[in-house]
Amino acid sequence: MTRIGVVLRPEMAPEALIDAARAADAAGVDEVWIWEDCFYSGGVSTAAMILAATNRVSVGIGVLPTPMRNVASTAMEIATVARIHPGRLRVGLGHGVQSWMDQIGGRVHSPLTLLSEQMAALTSLLAGETVTVHGRYVSLDDVRLNWPPQQPPPLLVGATGPKTLALSGRSSVGTILTSETSPDQLRTAVEHIGGGPDHDVVVYVSCLSDSDAAPSTVQRWIDAGATTIVLEPSPDRSDLAGLFDAAASLTATFTAPQ
């Protein structure tokens, strides 16, 4: 089954994000996605606010930059939200924009190693395991969450290059690809991922107008291997009602019995 979502862009103020999420929920949108871009709203806190303010819509975070975060605090935050809103959260992790990581003094020599170590530790912590690890970047000594989620949320990886795509296939349940990905590039990415038939492939699709969300257009990415389509509005678009309606219509189209 194909999932359809809509991006709520970080350029929106937090209070505007909440109003937009409520409108998406009322319109029948299946999933809203948010980004933890520097230096806008925090990813986990924004997800928590949206989930608390809505009744049924799910939230995808795509992505949390690993250089900004200690894996233990990330696990604690995700676990808290997932316990309160089970089954409504998906979380992606990624390298982060390296120029931003420079700004905050968080840039590392090997982003791939950091991402790999954080994914492994975070997966184990959210599963309620006791974790001891002394890696290049992640060091935990007998750490276990007191309140792990009863239903750990799916963890995904934001990826572009072949090595990160392959890491995603090995270490996560899904991969997030940017709106700069063409259908042909998507096919190549799926080959690098090699995650098997159950691996979720999330693709942002740029929507400069509502016509970009036509079923025939979206079908191109589905045919290329996408399992989740996230409609991405332009940065200057303020009225998202038409895009919400398009997303709800696409959900009905692609989930209806064939």
Side-chain angles (χ1 to χ4, degrees):
M1 182 181 75
T2 303
R3 300 178 71 167
I4 306 294
V6 176
V7 173
L8 301 182
R9 297 188 63 100
E11 292 87 352
M12 302 173 68
E15 57 272 23
L17 280 168
I18 296 302
D19 290 341
R22 286 174 172 153
D25 195 31
V29 174
D30 185 47
E31 193 169 50
V32 296
W33 283 76
I34 57 175
W35 304 333
E36 189 169 70
D37 273 2
C38 295
F39 298 95
Y40 294 98
S41 302
V44 179
S45 58
T46 300
M49 290 190 300
I50 290 173
L51 289 167
T54 56
N55 296 317
R56 43 155 296 280
V57 70
S58 297
V59 175
I61 306 175
V63 296
L64 300 176
T66 53
M68 291 182 66
R69 296 176 159 273
N70 178 282
V71 70
S73 62
T74 301
M76 292 165 61
E77 292 176 356
I78 293 173
T80 300
V81 177
R83 284 183 69 94
I84 302 301
H85 305 284
R88 294 180 62 195
L89 178 68
R90 292 199 281 171
V91 181
L93 286 83
H95 298 313
V97 177
Q98 294 307 295
S99 61
W100 289 339
M101 299 305 101
D102 272 334
Q103 280 185 275
I104 63 172
R107 187 165 184 166
V108 298
H109 182 71
S110 177
L112 190 69
T113 301
L114 172 61
L115 181 58
S116 177
E117 291 181 358
Q118 284 221 13
M119 281 296 298
L122 186 60
T123 299
S124 296
L125 288 170
L126 292 175
E129 300 173 8
T130 301
V131 181
T132 296
V133 61
H134 300 287
R136 182 174 180 179
Y137 298 110
V138 174
S139 182
L140 299 172
D141 187 8
D142 198 33
V143 175
R144 182 182 183 277
L145 297 179
N146 286 307
W147 297 108
Q150 297 169 326
Q151 182 179 340
L155 298 180
L156 302 87
V157 167
T160 53
K163 292 182 180 179
T164 309
L165 290 166
L167 169 65
S168 181
R170 296 191 304 269
S171 64
S172 75
V173 301
T175 302
I176 304 168
L177 301 170
T178 72
S179 60
E180 297 177 357
T181 308
S182 70
D184 285 341
Q185 290 170 326
L186 173 55
R187 292 184 179 90
T188 301
V190 170
E191 293 177 1
H192 287 301
I193 294 167
D198 295 329
H199 191 88
D200 193 16
V201 179
V202 180
V203 181
Y204 293 113
V205 174
S206 180
C207 292
L208 300 181
S209 66
D210 293 344
S211 62
D212 292 329
S216 59
T217 302
V218 171
Q219 186 68 53
R220 296 171 56 213
W221 275 268
I222 295 174
D223 291 342
T227 55
T228 297
I229 301 293
V230 185
L231 307 180
E232 179 185 323
S234 59
D236 58 351
R237 179 168 180 173
S238 58
D239 183 4
L240 298 177
L243 201 60
F244 293 157
D245 289 341
S249 178
L250 287 170
T251 296
T253 297
F254 290 111
T255 60
Q258 301 297 316

